[in-house]
Amino acid sequence: MTKWMALGCTAAMACGYAALTHAQTVAAATPAPAAGTATQGDRLVMADNESFLMPLDDMKNVHPSYPQNLLSLNLPPRMVCLRVGIDEKGAVTVVAKAPASEMCPAGAEAEFLAASQAAARTWKFDPALRCVFRNAKDKERAVASCDGGKSVPQAVTLVYRFRFEQVGGKPTVHVIGG
């Protein structure tokens, strides 16, 4: 069993759940279109014989730290949202503040944004893959992998939400998305 098969099944389940709860999550993949591929806005449109595998983050990717100079203020939870661009090799190419939304309010202290950006710039990934199969039946047999098809590394943009809070006087940072 390949790494993609084992992790692909888990990713497929997670992606299915994310699709059902899209209104409650900020995680959104925005694949960059491949040459000759149809797009709809900035979204990749897949043919019947294609599937998509999200990038896999490295287990060594670190979360941002709660800024030490803000600990004594006992602030209520703060949210920072970032758009993280990942290239075809899995390297982070862009880290930028995501637009404000219902799930990503604006106005967190600059230190939280800086801590989030610094951490995200160090991340590494296995690249996202567009899997191209001979036909739709081959795609169905692959079950959340590119087995039997051609793997095409794909650049993507993911949105991550960082929740900074203090629980029982201890700082915690939760990373949601991707």
Side-chain angles (χ1 to χ4, degrees):
M1 181 182 281
T2 68
K3 174 170 101 174
W4 279 107
M5 285 178 69
L7 295 174
C9 289
T10 303
M13 290 173 54
C15 288
Y17 177 75
L20 290 173
T21 60
H22 182 19
Q24 299 173 350
T25 182
V26 182
T30 310
T37 303
T39 62
Q40 190 173 41
D42 61 352
R43 301 277 184 195
L44 182 68
V45 177
M46 308 301 269
D48 289 344
N49 66 323
E50 295 180 324
S51 64
F52 183 80
L53 297 175
M54 295 289 286
L56 298 173
D57 60 319
D58 190 311
M59 298 298 282
K60 297 174 189 169
N61 288 351
V62 296
H63 289 190
S65 297
Y66 196 107
Q68 290 293 314
N69 62 322
L70 299 179
L71 284 172
S72 64
L73 301 177
N74 291 315
L75 297 169
R78 295 293 202 256
M79 193 76 67
V80 171
C81 294
L82 295 179
R83 293 176 61 87
V84 178
I86 303 165
D87 71 12
E88 296 87 355
K89 294 178 183 174
V92 172
T93 57
V94 176
V95 174
K97 186 175 180 183
S101 70
E102 180 181 332
M103 297 304 290
C104 293
E109 287 74 8
E111 292 92 338
F112 292 120
L113 176 61
S116 301
Q117 290 174 324
R121 284 187 184 107
T122 68
W123 290 352
K124 298 189 182 346
F125 295 83
D126 284 342
L129 296 174
R130 184 171 53 96
C131 306
V132 182
F133 300 92
R134 287 179 298 179
N135 54 52
K137 288 193 187 246
D138 286 353
K139 172 184 152 183
E140 289 174 23
R141 283 193 281 269
V143 187
S145 76
C146 285
D147 288 348
K150 180 182 176 186
S151 301
V152 180
Q154 188 74 50
V156 296
T157 299
L158 303 177
V159 176
Y160 285 88
R161 195 169 44 164
F162 302 85
R163 181 180 168 93
F164 293 83
E165 64 183 329
Q166 292 184 43
V167 178
K170 296 183 180 182
T172 62
V173 181
H174 302 279
V175 179
I176 307 158

